[in-house]
C-alpha cells in the first residue's frame, strides 16, 4: 500500500475511534507493521532452508514478550538442545523475563533487551544501547537466529545480516493468513515449535519448563516453616489476581472455593501474587470462614516456582503464575474469560482450564464488550469443584 493511502487509512481509523482506545489501536497497528516487516525480511534474505547436516555452533533465540509468553516458548529451547546437543543456545529477552531462562539447562546465556513494545515497568533500551547490542551480538558469530517475537529494532538486526541463517515466526503467521504454511495447531507452544518443524528440526518435547535451584528449594522449606504451614497437610496455591481486571474471578467465588477446599480436602490455602494484588487477597480472606495464608509480594519468581512445586494444586486466573505452575509440573486449573485457552491454556498432562465463552471475540479491555460482568462471571464455584474432583476441562 502506498504511504499516502496508508496515512489516509490511519487518519480515518483515528477519527472513528474513541480517544481512550487510541493507544491500543496504534499499538496494534505497530505490531502488524512489525509483523509484515519481519516476514518480508525473511522472504527476501533468508529463504535458503537448513541442510540435513546443519550443525550450528551457536544459536540466538529472540523472544521479547512477557513472562507467560516466554514460559510457553521454553519447549523451543528443549528441542533445539535435543537436536543440536553440542550447540550453544543463547536467548535475547526482556529484563522481566530473564529469570524464566537464566536457570534453564538448555540455555547457555541470556542477554537483555527491553523492547519499547513490551516494557511495562522500568525503562526501555535506548536506540544507542540497541546499536551497541547489535555490535556485541554480531561479535558472537551466531550461525542461526530464531525470531519468535521481536520488534522493529530486532528486525533491523536481521536486515543487517546478524546471522547467515534465520527462522522467523512472523513469516509463518503471514503465510498462514494467506493460506500457505499452515500452523499445525492454535496453541502458542505449537506455533513456536512449528517454526522449527518447518525447517526440519524435530520437536518431540512439548511441555514447558522452569528449573528449580537447590538454593530456592532450601529457601522454600524455611519460608513455609516461618509462615506456620504444616508440611504434612497439602498446600493448594490460589492466584486471584491479574493485571487486567476483566480476567479476574470474583472475590466471593474464591472465598467460597477456599472454604470448600479447607473443609472437604483438608488443605492449606496459600494465596500468591504480586504486591499490587495484596488488597484483592485481603478482601477474599475477609469473606472466608477458614484460615488462609497470603504471601503476595513476598517472593521472587524462582521462589514462587519452588513453592508451587511443593503444592498439590494451583488454581488461578489466566496469568503468568498459572503458566509457572504448569511449568513446574503440578496439577493446574486455569480460569479463562476474555482470553483464549485454545491459544494460551496451561501446558501439560496435569493441566485443565474452565472457559464459559460468550459469543464474542477474545478481548483484553477492562469492560466487557457486551455490557455485562464478562465471561468470568459465568464460571461457578461448582465448575471448579467438578474439575478438581473429575480432572476434566470445563468449557462451553
Amino acid at each position: 500500500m502506498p504511504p499516502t493511502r496508508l496515512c489516509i487509512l490511519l487518519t480515518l481509523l483515528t477519527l472513528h475511534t474513541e480517544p481512550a482506545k487510541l493507544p491500543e489501536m496504534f499499538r496494534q497497528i505497530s505490531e502488524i507493521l512489525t509483523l509484515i516487516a519481519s516476514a518480508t525480511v525473511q522472504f527476501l534474505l533468508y529463504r535458503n532452508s537448513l541442510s540435513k547436516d546443519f550443525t550450528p555452533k551457536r544459536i540466538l533465540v529472540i523472544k521479547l514478550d512477557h513472562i507467560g509468553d516466554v514460559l510457553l516458548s521454553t519447549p523451543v529451547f528443549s528441542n533445539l538442545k535435543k537436536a543440536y546437543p553440542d550447540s550453544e543456545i543463547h536467548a535475547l529477552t526482556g529484563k522481566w523475563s530473564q529469570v524464566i531462562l537464566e536457570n534453564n539447562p538448555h540455555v547457555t546465556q541470556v542477554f537483555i533487551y527491553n523492547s519499547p513494545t513490551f516494557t511495562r515497568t522500568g525503562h526501555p533500551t535506548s536506540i544507542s544501547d540497541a546499536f551497541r547490542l547489535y555490535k556485541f551480538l554480531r561479535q558472537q558469530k551466531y550461525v542461526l537466529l530464531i525470531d519468535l517475537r521481536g520488534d522493529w529494532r530486532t528486525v533491523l538486526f536481521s536486515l543487517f545480516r546478524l546471522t547467515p541463517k534465520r527462522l522467523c515466526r512472523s513469516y509463518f503467521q503471514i503465510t498462514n493468513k494467506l493460506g500457505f504454511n499452515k500452523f499445525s495447531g492454535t496453541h502458542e507452544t505449537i506455533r513456536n515449535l512449528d517454526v522449527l518443524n518447518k525447517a526440519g528440526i524435530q520437536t518431540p518435547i512439548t511441555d514447558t519448563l522452569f528449573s528449580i535451584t537447590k538454593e530456592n528449594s532450601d529457601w522454600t522449606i524455611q519460608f513455609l516453616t516461618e509462615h506456620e504451614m504444616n508440611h504434612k497437610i497439602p498446600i493448594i496455591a490460589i492466584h486471584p489476581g491479574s493485571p487486567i481486571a476483566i480476567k479476574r474471578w470474583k472475590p466471593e467465588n474464591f472465598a467460597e472455593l477456599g472454604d470448600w477446599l479447607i473443609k472437604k480436602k483438608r488443605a492449606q490455602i496459600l494465596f500468591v501474587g504480586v504486591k499490587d494484588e495484596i488488597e484483592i487477597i485481603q478482601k477474599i480472606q475477609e469473606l472466608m470462614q477458614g484460615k488462609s495464608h497470603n504471601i503476595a509480594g513476598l517472593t521472587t519468581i524462582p521462589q514462587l516456582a519452588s513453592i508451587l512445586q511443593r503444592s498439590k494444586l494451583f488454581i488461578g486466573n489466566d496469568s503468568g503464575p498459572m503458566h509457572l505452575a504448569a511449568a513446574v509440573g503440578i496439577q493446574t486449573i486455569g480460569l479463562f474469560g476474555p482470553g483464549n485457552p485454545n491459544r494460551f491454556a496451561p501446558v501439560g498432562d496435569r493441566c485443565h482450564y474452565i472457559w464459559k465463552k460468550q459469543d464474542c471475540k477474545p478481548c483484553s479491555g477492562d469492560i466487557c464488550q457486551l455490557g455485562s460482568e464478562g465471561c468470568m462471571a459465568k464460571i461457578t464455584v461448582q465448575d471448579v469443584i467438578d474439575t478438581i474432583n473429575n480432572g476434566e476441562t470445563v468449557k462451553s
Side-chain angles (χ1 to χ4, degrees), residues 49-55 84 199-200:
S49 59
L50 305 182
S51 62
K52 290 185 178 181
D53 60 349
F54 181 66
T55 53
Y84 307 117

Side-chain angles (χ1 to χ4, degrees), residues 88-349:
E88 289 187 17
I89 303 173
H90 297 180
L92 182 66
T93 192
K95 178 68 175 177
W96 47 87
S97 295
Q98 176 183 6
V99 68
I100 302 300
L101 299 174
E102 62 184 357
N103 291 317
N104 188 304
H106 307 128
V107 179
T108 311
Q109 290 192 66
V110 181
F111 300 119
I112 304 304
Y113 166 61
N114 296 330
S115 168
T117 304
F118 302 105
T119 300
R120 287 177 175 170
T121 58
H123 299 286
T125 300
S126 65
I127 294 177
S128 58
D129 285 341
F131 178 67
R132 281 191 283 271
L133 175 64
Y134 166 77
K135 292 198 296 183
F136 170 78
L137 293 176
R138 193 170 180 84
Q139 292 172 358
Q140 304 305 306
K141 300 186 183 301
Y142 295 109
V143 180
L144 173 64
L145 183 151
I146 300 174
D147 191 340
L148 297 178
R149 197 175 188 192
D151 67 1
W152 275 101
R153 296 174 186 175
T154 59
V155 171
L156 289 176
F157 289 2
S158 295
L159 182 63
F160 297 148
R161 300 305 294 253
L162 178 65
T163 59
K165 298 286 185 180
R166 180 183 190 247
L167 303 177
C168 171
R169 175 171 158 164
S170 296
Y171 176 76
F172 290 105
Q173 287 180 256
I174 294 294
T175 53
N176 180 70
K177 288 289 186 182
L178 297 175
F180 307 102
N181 286 322
K182 284 289 187 180
F183 283 119
S184 60
T186 303
H187 199 276
E188 280 293 287
T189 54
I190 301 301
R191 294 193 167 201
N192 287 330
L193 293 178
D194 275 349
V195 177
L196 304 186
N197 284 325
K198 300 293 184 180
I201 302 172
Q202 298 297 310
T203 58
I205 304 168
T206 57
D207 286 348
T208 55
L209 175 66
F210 188 91
S211 299
I212 308 295
T213 64
K214 185 180 184 302
E215 178 185 1
N216 284 317
S217 183
D218 292 341
W219 175 90
T220 297
I221 296 172
Q222 181 179 351
F223 180 83
L224 294 178
T225 300
E226 290 174 353
H227 283 75
E228 300 179 349
M229 301 200 71
N230 192 329
H231 294 278
K232 296 181 180 180
I233 300 176
I235 297 172
I236 295 182
I238 296 179
H239 178 234
S242 170
I244 301 172
I246 201 171
K247 286 188 173 184
R248 300 175 196 152
W249 204 34
K250 290 182 178 181
E252 50 265 41
N253 288 341
F254 276 117
E256 182 181 344
L257 177 64
D259 282 332
W260 181 87
L261 289 166
I262 293 171
K263 183 178 180 179
K264 298 295 185 181
K265 298 297 181 180
R266 300 186 182 279
Q268 299 176 97
I269 303 302
L270 185 66
F271 288 106
V272 302
V274 297
K275 186 177 180 180
D276 291 343
E277 295 165 342
I278 291 176
E279 187 175 339
I280 297 172
I281 295 171
Q282 288 175 338
K283 183 176 180 180
I284 296 170
Q285 289 180 307
E286 290 172 1
L287 295 170
M288 288 179 63
Q289 297 177 358
K291 179 184 177 181
S292 62
H293 303 266
N294 179 5
I295 62 167
L298 299 181
T299 64
T300 64
I301 290 175
Q303 290 168 348
L304 174 59
S306 182
I307 290 173
L308 291 177
Q309 191 180 52
R310 290 181 175 273
S311 302
K312 182 178 181 62
L313 168 67
F314 172 91
I315 304 168
N317 302 321
D318 171 20
S319 62
M322 175 191 70
H323 291 297
L324 191 62
V328 298
I330 68 167
Q331 184 180 0
T332 301
I333 299 175
L335 308 180
F336 280 78
N340 186 355
N342 292 326
R343 188 171 177 184
F344 297 109
V347 179
D349 294 337

